[in-house]
Amino acid sequence: MALLEDLPVPKSVLGLSLAIVALPFVFPSLRPLWATAVKGGVKLYLEANGEAQNEIIDTLVEGAVDQLVDAFAKPAEERDEKIPEIVSEFKAKAHRRSNRKGRGAKDRELLYDRHMSKLRRSLARLDNNPSTQPHMEEIMKSVG
């Protein structure tokens, strides 16, 4: 019992959690209902996690695009140094996030590709802007 007392959770919450987990074993007729509730909870968690991932990627892309737009206003020499630096910094962040959040090699690769495709889509929208159009070829070459 000392183990349960050491947890930083109120005893009533812990007791309720244990009762919920034990319920299908005590009353076998509740197993289908319990299984449905667990599946629903897992689906809800995965959906929320996916949306949170997309929000984080969108924030990273917005930051990189804002930096690139700011770099367009710089003199040519500074701009030529700054643009590849911004793109390589974004790629490094995308790799770090992919390695940290991916569950396997394939998942990490897909997550990195998602980062890069969102960046490419945002940059494609900039390509239609006359003020940024002359530099887009260089940027897209940096992005790959």
Side-chain angles (χ1 to χ4, degrees):
M1 259 340 230
L3 180 66
L4 295 178
E5 293 170 355
D6 293 340
L7 292 174
V9 178
K11 288 180 181 63
S12 60
V13 173
L14 185 61
L16 181 61
S17 300
L18 289 174
I20 289 172
V21 170
L23 207 57
F25 297 106
V26 175
F27 300 104
S29 62
L30 292 178
R31 284 185 184 162
L33 182 62
W34 187 78
T36 303
V38 168
K39 286 178 188 175
V42 168
K43 285 180 183 178
L44 190 62
Y45 167 76
L46 291 174
E47 184 178 320
N49 190 28
E51 288 180 19
Q53 288 283 352
N54 284 335
E55 287 295 321
I56 292 169
I57 293 171
D58 288 344
T59 302
L60 289 174
V61 168
E62 284 176 24
V65 169
D66 288 345
Q67 289 177 345
L68 287 169
V69 168
D70 290 343
F72 290 140
K74 308 273 188 211
E77 308 155 349
E78 193 176 340
R79 180 181 56 235
D80 292 343
E81 291 176 16
K82 196 75 173 158
I83 288 173
E85 181 182 312
I86 293 167
V87 172
S88 66
E89 184 180 323
F90 177 83
K91 286 181 176 182
K93 285 181 185 178
H95 272 295
R96 282 194 306 269
R97 282 201 77 255
S98 300
N99 288 334
R100 195 173 53 240
K101 298 293 183 182
R103 289 182 286 276
K106 185 73 170 170
D107 193 37
R108 286 190 288 272
E109 184 180 328
L110 289 172
L111 189 55
Y112 178 75
D113 289 345
R114 192 179 316 157
H115 281 79
M116 297 309 293
S117 66
K118 283 197 176 208
L119 180 63
R120 284 187 200 98
R121 281 192 302 254
S122 290
L123 292 174
R125 281 186 235 124
L126 282 180
D127 198 16
N128 296 331
N129 186 339
S131 64
T132 59
Q133 203 167 22
H135 311 290
M136 289 309 296
E137 184 176 323
E138 178 187 342
I139 293 172
M140 293 308 270
K141 200 170 20 173
S142 297
V143 170

